[in-house]
Amino acid sequence: MTSYTDEEGRTLRTAVFGAMVLVSTAEPGALDEESHAGIRAMAAFPPAVREVLGAARPELPAGSAADVERGVLAALRRSVAILAARDPGDAEAFRATVVAVCEEVASADGRVGAAEDAVVDRIRAAVGAA
């Protein structure tokens, strides 16, 4: 199993959990349902990524909502680069799974609002998913 440095692990956790937070807070909704949907969808990450995601508490960037979003999107881009350097297959799985997790969070309450959809689009762009 691939091991990641502490910094790489923090980046991956910030990216994944931060993406879920961005979607979940984009519009008022059922935060509990959204959280559970995101956690369930995370099972699709490659095993090494799941391991690092569960290794420590995630840390979100500080500052305004815009600062947090910029930091999370940057962490998503860095995460793809980290994974691509180690295993291109894991990088591709990461892209698809991040988008799937975000879509699950967005639709957890039975509908996807325009703000949630816009955030998912920005996340999709950050990870380079089609």
Side-chain angles (χ1 to χ4, degrees):
M1 193 156 307
T2 305
S3 62
Y4 294 93
T5 67
D6 289 343
E7 182 179 342
E8 290 169 335
R10 274 192 303 279
T11 298
L12 289 165
R13 285 187 295 277
T14 296
V16 172
F17 290 102
M20 290 192 307
V21 167
L22 291 179
V23 174
S24 187
T25 59
E27 293 188 359
L31 292 177
D32 199 41
E33 288 174 18
E34 292 171 344
S35 176
H36 289 291
I39 298 298
R40 283 190 306 273
M42 288 174 53
F45 279 112
V49 174
R50 280 196 319 268
E51 183 179 308
V52 83
L53 292 176
R57 291 180 51 96
E59 299 172 23
L60 292 180
S64 69
D67 293 335
V68 171
E69 182 171 327
R70 273 191 298 277
V72 169
L73 295 177
L76 285 163
R77 288 187 290 273
R78 283 193 310 273
S79 293
V80 171
I82 289 165
L83 293 167
R86 292 171 179 259
D87 184 336
D90 279 357
E92 192 55 42
F94 180 84
R95 285 182 182 100
T97 304
V98 164
V99 171
V101 165
C102 290
E103 289 171 344
E104 285 292 319
V105 170
S107 64
D109 62 359
R111 67 175 214 42
V112 178
E116 290 168 319
D117 199 39
V119 170
V120 172
D121 283 346
R122 291 192 295 276
I123 290 166
R124 187 179 284 115
V127 297

